[in-house]
Amino acid sequence: GMTASQNPTLFNRSSLIRYFTDQALVVDAQPAFAQGMAQWVGFTDAMTLYTALEYRAPAQTGASVAGTCVQAASHGAAYRTACAELARVRETTVAWITRGCATTAGAARIKFPVPQSGTALEIAVMYTPFHRFILSLQREMETRVAPLRAAVRVSMATTSPHLRKLAMLDAALDGIVSERERRVLACVPQLLEKRFKQLLQAHQQALEHDGQTDDLSTWMQAGAWLAQFRDELREVVLGEWDVRLQPVMGLVAAFSNEVKQST
């Protein structure tokens, strides 16, 4: 399986909660996010634990050794395919999120919405385009993780009765967990809106204190409020992508277990 050091994001499940807690965004109004995330994480972890406990190495007899060698080779090939697909989807999506949040001109289909010069200030400070941007990123992550998870299940189902059973269990749990996941992660745009408003307010207070007028052309300069919001949003979305991959990583870890046992 993958180790934490191979994790390309700065976030894991608990630090996604920690970010919102540190920013004092998860308050009494939003206990559903922290509770929901904790329950859902517990649920996926319980599933991974179940796969580890459920596994029994097959009893070996002399007659079955030759057959097992052939089986191990096919297990290994299917496992390598699953790993390669996980790595490909994971890396291309991290690059895609990073590109979407970059302010340099590029061909990203979904781009962080920097207000154009000449936009009226009261329009430029509206959260709506940022909300739409986050929802677009979330939809795209969902469309990328679903076929990956299904492909890993298909690979597993062709190798051994144990992995076939696990693939069936995952398919059954997928509906339950993804519905819960959707409800929990639906809180992310609202929580980021609170952060957006905090940063904007601090920016406006600083201008007022210094007797300066606002200039939206400065908002994306290094250290400016909107640039900071963009950086935090990117890390949160990368963290969310990591969370969405957890069930697939659990499957691949169980697959790895089986391959080791059969070699």
Side-chain angles (χ1 to χ4, degrees):
M2 291 195 176
T3 62
S5 63
Q6 290 169 290
N7 185 340
T9 74
L10 299 176
F11 279 73
N12 59 25
R13 293 155 293 171
S14 60
S15 57
L16 193 60
I17 300 170
R18 197 160 53 242
Y19 166 77
F20 289 120
T21 309
D22 287 351
Q23 302 301 345
L25 300 175
V26 182
V27 290
D28 295 343
Q30 284 288 2
F33 178 80
Q35 284 169 9
M37 182 69 88
Q39 282 170 4
W40 175 64
V41 166
F43 198 63
T44 51
D45 282 351
M47 183 189 155
T48 309
L49 182 63
Y50 167 83
T51 67
L53 295 174
E54 181 70 3
Y55 184 73
R56 298 285 177 275
Q60 287 281 10
T61 64
S64 72
V65 170
T68 303
C69 288
V70 174
Q71 185 190 38
S74 71
H75 280 197
Y79 170 67
R80 282 192 297 278
T81 302
C83 277
E85 189 57 8
L86 170 59
R88 184 190 69 79
V89 174
R90 189 178 194 178
E91 285 156 25
T92 56
T93 305
V94 166
W96 172 81
I97 291 166
T98 306
R99 201 164 52 246
C101 290
T103 42
T104 49
R109 189 166 44 85
I110 301 170
K111 287 287 283 180
F112 183 81
V114 179
Q116 297 303 301
S117 61
T119 306
L121 211 55
E122 61 272 19
I123 303 292
V125 297
M126 289 173 74
Y127 183 66
T128 314
F130 302 97
H131 195 151
R132 274 201 300 266
F133 173 66
I134 299 160
L135 291 179
S136 300
L137 294 176
Q138 289 185 316
R139 275 195 297 273
E140 181 73 19
M141 287 189 280
E142 206 168 315
T143 62
R144 287 174 181 229
V145 84
L148 169 66
R149 190 168 173 180
V152 171
R153 281 201 294 258
V154 169
S155 290
M156 292 172 79
T158 60
T159 51
S160 75
H162 166 67
L163 288 181
R164 190 158 49 249
K165 186 168 73 171
L166 181 57
M168 286 167 65
L169 173 69
D170 182 68
L173 288 174
D174 195 356
I176 305 163
V177 175
S178 59
E179 192 41 53
R180 186 180 296 193
E181 174 186 340
R182 214 169 278 122
R183 282 201 306 274
V184 169
L185 296 176
C187 296
V188 169
Q190 283 81 12
L191 289 165
L192 280 169
E193 180 176 12
K194 288 187 179 183
R195 184 61 181 147
F196 176 86
K197 287 177 173 170
Q198 279 180 358
L199 290 167
L200 174 60
Q201 189 179 16
H203 163 73
Q204 289 171 333
Q205 284 170 346
L207 287 175
E208 203 176 317
H209 179 266
D210 297 339
Q212 293 179 331
T213 53
D214 208 344
D215 175 5
L216 61 84
S217 69
T218 64
W219 288 1
M220 291 304 293
Q221 288 174 2
W225 79 276
L226 193 59
Q228 186 179 338
F229 177 71
R230 186 272 317 269
D231 292 347
E232 291 184 17
L233 181 152
R234 182 186 60 234
E235 295 310 323
V236 166
V237 173
L238 287 171
E240 181 179 324
W241 174 236
D242 207 34
V243 166
R244 287 176 184 271
L245 281 178
Q246 290 300 320
V248 189
M249 292 180 71
L251 287 177
V252 171
F255 205 163
S256 164
N257 231 9
E258 182 95 2
V259 171
K260 284 178 194 148
Q261 296 282 359
S262 63
T263 52

